[in-house]
């Protein structure tokens, strides 16, 4: 029997996150959009409130001080978090990279536990000007220097690099690509300029330069030469929750606003919602949101069962991000000229939505991954 009902405690958690987003985060959005920044005192206050409610780092294991949510639960809360801006989600709920669970020895206190307490932010620095989709094509090198390494190379588009105290850097060494923890104040590490983006104002992305950057042996994260499998092994939950579930949340918010507008806005003496072409857009939006939501939860459930859900996660990433693009486009259309006007948030959502198809693997890369596993297997899975 398939049971889609949610336990009471899950419903209460989702309701708590929804209230937090509406009460604490939504009111801050216009100011952040205007200034492209969030005050650090405000950000700290949000984190403390979220920590008090048990809403900080909800995806991390309980024994490490996290919320210990299942993937299904984490996706459900991220659907609500999709109703607010990316930077507010990051500051309030914590983007502790899952890869920090691989910290060992003294790294655990310095990076993992400090990040779990909200004392340090750690950014993941993989992409380079010459290597985005081709993550194995990075040029950053880690050359042996006694027991430690000397890093050389450059990274770009690193989210939250300006607030990070340390970076997880991928680099080529003799044994293959490895991950290294590099502190912000390491001599030879320089923060590049903020790379201005189309949307997600308030979240900053910078380049990073590593120039003869010397690090000790204790900075290696995980096994030598296993960097890509460490990263890829932990990326599925992030793709589902931060892209799939948040796309569903953002699309739902756009639909809610579109329904209200269609009920209130009158043309030709009638609400535009009475016109069948507007109804078609609303119906298509709702249908696609529903499909994406079911896909997110099914893939999340597969992960919780310990199954290999990589192909499903790729389908979710592909469909949910493209669904959001279509929903945002329909919302602009329903709002007419006001949808294009900066007085209303619709145009902001339209811009914010665009990046979902680019990061965490572009649509093209996920199509390649889906097709590859279909052709390797030679059949269509249920
Ligand atoms: C807002 C934002 C935040 C980001 N945050 C981070 C971060 O925190 N850390 C980090 O490391 N990176 C980050 N990135 C980088 C992101 O992961 C890359 O932008 C993404 O992987 C795509 O790489 P690229 O931009 O170099 O595009 P490219 O790889 O150059 O791709 C360009 C185009 O070619 C297509 N293409 C490439 N290869 C193929 C192929 N084999 N077949 C068909 N089409 C192909 C792509 O789909 C795309 O359409 C961020 C990016 C953005 C925009």
């Amino acid at each position: 029997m398939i049971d889609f009902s949610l336990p009471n405690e899950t419903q209460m958690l989702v309701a708590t996150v929804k209230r937090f987003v509406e009460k604490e985060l939504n009111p801050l959005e216009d100011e952040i959009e205007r200034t492209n920044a969030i005050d650090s005192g405000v950000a700290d206050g949000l984190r403390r409130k979220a920590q008090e409610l048990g809403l900080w780092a909800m995806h991390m294991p309980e024994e490490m001080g996290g919320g210990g949510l299942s993937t299904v639960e984490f996706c459900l809360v991220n659907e609500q978090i999709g109703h607010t801006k990316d930077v507010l989600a990051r500051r309030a709920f914590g983007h502790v990279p899952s890869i920090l669970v691989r910290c060992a020895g003294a790294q655990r206190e310095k990076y993992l536990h400090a990040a779990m307490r909200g004392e340090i932010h750690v950014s993941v620095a993989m992409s380079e000007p010459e290597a985005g989709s081709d993550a194995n094509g990075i040029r950053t090198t880690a050359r042996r220097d006694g027991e430690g390494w000397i890093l050389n190379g450059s990274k770009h588009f690193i989210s939250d690099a300006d607030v990070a105290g340390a970076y997880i850097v991928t680099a080529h060494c003799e044994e293959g690509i490895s991950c290294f923890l590099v502190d912000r104040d390491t001599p030879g590490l320089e923060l590049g300029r903020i790379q201005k983006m189309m949307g997600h104002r308030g979240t900053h992305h910078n380049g990073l330069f590593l120039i003869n950057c010397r690090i000790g042996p204790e900075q290696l994260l995980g096994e030598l030469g296993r960097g890509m499998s460490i990263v890829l092994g932990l990326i599925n939950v992030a793709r589902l929750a931060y892209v799939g579930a948040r796309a569903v949340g953002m699309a739902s918010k756009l639909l809610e606003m579109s329904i209200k507008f269609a009920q209130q806005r009158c043309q030709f003496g009638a609400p535009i919602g009475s016109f069948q072409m507007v109804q078609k857009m609303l119906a298509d939006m709702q249908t696609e949101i529903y499909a994406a939501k079911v896909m997110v939860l099914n893939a999340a459930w597969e992960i919780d069962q310990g199954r290999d859900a990589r192909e499903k996660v790729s389908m979710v990433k592909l469909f949910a991000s493209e669904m959001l693009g279509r929903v945002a486009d329909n919302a602009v259309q329903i709002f007419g000229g006001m949808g294009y006007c900066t007085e209303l948030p619709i145009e902001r959502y339209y811009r914010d939505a665009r990046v979902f198809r680019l990061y965490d693997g572009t649509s093209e890369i996920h199509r390649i991954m889906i097709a590859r596993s279909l052709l390797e297997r030679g059949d269509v899975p249920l």
Side-chain angles (χ1 to χ4, degrees):
M1 190 184 82
I2 298 179
D3 182 356
F4 289 101
S5 58
L6 294 176
N8 277 348
E9 58 271 29
T10 308
Q11 290 182 37
M12 278 161 61
L13 173 71
V14 172
T16 305
V17 173
K18 182 175 162 57
R19 267 197 309 277
F20 191 90
V21 167
E22 287 171 357
K23 184 165 165 271
E24 306 288 346
L25 307 184
N26 289 155
L28 303 173
E29 291 171 3
D30 288 348
E31 175 71 1
I32 293 171
E33 189 63 22
R34 199 178 57 76
T35 59
N36 190 23
I38 179 168
D39 179 82
S40 59
V42 171
D44 285 346
L46 291 173
R47 172 176 50 76
R48 277 193 294 273
K49 280 184 190 164
Q51 282 173 325
E52 277 164 24
L53 292 168
L55 304 180
W56 176 261
M58 290 178 274
H59 61 301
M60 295 295 275
E62 251 172 334
E63 62 274 18
M64 294 176 186
L69 295 191
S70 68
T71 315
V72 167
E73 290 166 329
F74 191 50
C75 286
L76 287 166
V77 298
N78 269 282
E79 192 186 320
Q80 297 306 319
I81 295 172
H83 287 217
T84 191
K85 286 183 74 63
D86 180 74
V87 69
L88 287 163
R90 288 169 178 272
R91 296 298 170 271
F93 303 111
H95 262 229
V96 179
S98 299
I99 190 174
L100 286 181
V101 300
R102 302 302 298 268
C103 282
Q107 292 173 351
R108 289 178 80 81
E109 175 53 28
K110 186 172 176 190
Y111 301 104
L112 172 64
H113 296 151
M116 294 304 298
R117 291 192 295 266
E119 291 166 6
I120 186 177
H121 180 84
V122 182
S123 288
V124 177
M126 294 172 62
S127 301
E128 299 184 359
E130 304 300 330
S133 301
D134 181 11
N136 284 303
I138 55 168
R139 295 183 179 178
T140 297
T141 55
R143 184 166 51 80
R144 274 283 185 193
D145 172 50
E147 292 289 295
W149 286 273
I150 294 180
L151 303 182
N152 275 293
S154 59
K155 300 286 178 181
H156 79 163
F157 294 159
I158 309 310
S159 305
D160 276 339
D162 56 348
V163 292
Y167 307 93
I168 297 167
V169 172
T170 52
H172 273 291
C173 52
E174 264 177 33
E175 295 80 357
I177 293 179
S178 302
C179 292
F180 297 94
L181 287 155
V182 186
D183 294 330
R184 168 85 169 262
D185 58 4
T186 310
L189 183 143
E190 284 174 25
L191 193 62
R193 65 186 166 85
I194 291 179
Q195 298 175 284
K196 289 187 187 162
M197 300 278 176
M198 178 194 287
H200 278 335
R201 285 171 67 82
T203 308
H204 296 164
H205 316 273
N206 295 65
L208 273 189
F209 301 100
L210 301 143
I211 306 155
N212 291 325
C213 185
R214 181 174 275 113
I215 54 170
E218 71 287 355
Q219 299 307 104
L220 174 70
L221 179 62
E223 303 90 340
L224 201 54
R226 304 267 305 144
M228 288 315 294
S229 58
I230 294 170
V231 172
L232 295 176
L234 293 163
I235 213 166
N236 281 334
V237 174
R239 275 181 177 154
L240 268 188
Y242 296 151
V243 184
R246 287 199 189 165
V248 170
M250 193 189 284
S252 304
K253 180 141 183 179
L254 281 161
L255 177 57
E256 271 170 29
M257 291 190 282
S258 301
I259 294 166
K260 284 200 183 83
F261 189 79
Q263 287 168 331
Q264 287 159 9
R265 171 74 175 165
C266 290
Q267 288 294 283
F268 302 98
I272 60 167
S274 65
F275 305 137
Q276 288 185 348
M277 277 189 270
V278 173
Q279 290 174 3
K280 176 197 179 291
M281 285 191 269
L282 293 172
D284 286 351
M285 289 157 89
Q286 169 68 336
T287 305
E288 290 209 73
I289 292 168
Y290 173 56
K293 178 164 180 160
V294 173
M295 288 173 76
V296 168
L297 294 179
N298 176 253
W301 180 82
E302 297 258 347
I303 290 178
D304 288 338
Q305 304 312 303
R307 298 189 190 153
D308 180 354
R310 277 174 297 181
E311 188 180 334
K312 284 193 171 175
V313 171
S314 279
M315 289 191 275
V316 171
K317 165 65 177 71
L318 171 64
F319 182 77
S321 60
E322 301 210 337
M323 171 281 292
L324 176 59
R326 289 188 290 270
V327 166
D329 193 65
N330 275 333
V332 172
Q333 200 66 20
I334 289 171
F335 274 79
M338 287 308 290
Y340 194 67
C341 183
T342 57
E343 277 173 35
L344 293 186
I346 307 297
E347 65 84 30
R348 159 163 80 77
Y349 283 109
Y350 183 81
R351 286 185 285 108
D352 288 352
R354 187 61 184 86
V355 78
F356 282 65
R357 287 151 63 188
L358 298 173
Y359 55 25
D360 270 307
T362 63
S363 291
E364 291 72 27
I365 294 304
H366 284 288
R367 283 194 169 92
I368 290 170
M369 284 157 64
I370 297 161
R372 188 179 293 155
S373 71
L374 281 175
L375 293 167
E376 275 170 15
R377 212 183 31 249
D379 63 7
V380 181
L382 286 177

